[in-house]
Amino acid sequence: MTDGQRPYFDALYAHSDDPYALRDRWYEARKRAVLLAALPRQHYAKAYEPGCGAGELTHALAARCGQLLASDFSDRAVQITQERTRELTNVRVEQHALPGDWPRDAGPFDLIVLSEVGYFLQRADMQRVAECCKASLAADGTLVACDWRPGFEQRSLPTDEVHGILGALGLARLVLHEEDDFVLHAWARDGRSVAQREGIR
């Protein structure tokens, strides 16, 4: 994120602890369910979720992860997510501005989730984030990106460009879910399907 975007996020969280209505909208609950269902593994030892916002996805991901590091650019979002996950001993929440604060020393991660974050970045920063994802992803790791498709004023990159940058990393694509509202990709170093991993075929 850029410092120029800080007033936007400060204003968002000054007016509400849940400015995107993540807790109340069926759209948001359904999107989280789609993302969780797209994960090819039932459990991940160590995960990273930058851009955690108000922490609803963080709370849901925690049930699938041994350790989950969540972060956000906004200090208020960090506080909200810390409160949302305070009873979860496997969750740590920190303030990170991407790409500079990417937690290189905390990896490797076997799951990285970029949900509604890439389109706020300038292209060069998104490319650096993609490189960080590849460098931090474990040998059996999964990378997920889920993003809103329509345009809006604060957008820096089109969603298709964000996913194109991540898709060019050379990972195997396991999942593509497209709707008018959002698109979700899951890539992995291990290109086997869930059925193949379980010996069904």
Side-chain angles (χ1 to χ4, degrees):
M1 308 294 178
T2 66
D3 285 337
Q5 290 170 317
R6 190 174 296 279
Y8 167 71
F9 287 101
D10 287 347
L12 273 182
Y13 288 103
H15 291 94
S16 172
D17 282 357
D18 185 16
Y20 295 108
L22 303 179
R23 300 169 198 155
D24 301 324
R25 286 187 176 136
W26 167 240
Y27 167 80
E28 295 290 352
R30 176 179 172 271
K31 185 181 65 172
R32 284 194 297 276
V34 170
L35 189 153
L36 292 168
L39 299 179
R41 289 165 49 189
Q42 185 175 3
H43 187 266
Y44 291 87
K46 186 184 289 188
Y48 180 43
E49 182 209 359
C52 63
E56 291 304 301
L57 179 58
T58 309
H59 196 276
L61 283 170
R64 303 276 296 272
C65 301
Q67 299 176 43
L68 173 59
L69 172 60
S71 72
D72 202 276
F73 173 74
S74 163
D75 56 350
R76 182 62 187 138
V78 168
Q79 293 168 8
I80 294 165
T81 300
Q82 287 172 336
E83 177 65 20
R84 181 72 178 92
T85 61
R86 67 181 179 199
E87 80 284 7
L88 302 177
T89 59
N90 63 327
V91 176
R92 188 169 86 254
V93 187
E94 299 179 354
Q95 187 171 11
H96 293 167
L98 300 182
D101 293 334
W102 187 274
R104 293 169 178 81
D105 294 338
F109 303 103
D110 53 355
L111 175 63
I112 298 172
V113 177
L114 299 173
S115 180
E116 314 294 354
V117 64
Y119 49 63
F120 286 116
L121 300 171
Q122 299 296 321
R123 180 176 176 81
D125 287 340
M126 183 61 224
Q127 288 174 325
R128 286 180 59 196
V129 166
E131 292 164 5
C132 289
C133 288
K134 188 171 184 179
S136 299
L137 198 63
D140 59 349
T142 302
L143 171 62
V144 177
C146 182
D147 291 288
W148 175 251
R149 303 186 88 171
F152 62 101
E153 184 179 351
Q154 291 78 23
R155 178 187 285 282
S156 296
L157 283 178
T159 285
D160 287 348
E161 189 168 355
V162 170
H163 286 238
I165 290 170
L166 295 168
L169 291 175
L171 303 172
R173 190 183 76 186
L174 299 183
V175 176
L176 169 59
H177 178 92
E178 288 185 288
E179 302 186 12
D180 287 346
D181 296 326
F182 73 93
V183 60
L184 181 148
H185 275 94
W187 300 273
R189 294 197 190 276
D190 181 349
R192 293 176 300 162
S193 71
V194 176
Q196 288 172 323
R197 292 168 188 234
E198 295 203 337
I200 299 172
R201 69 178 183 92

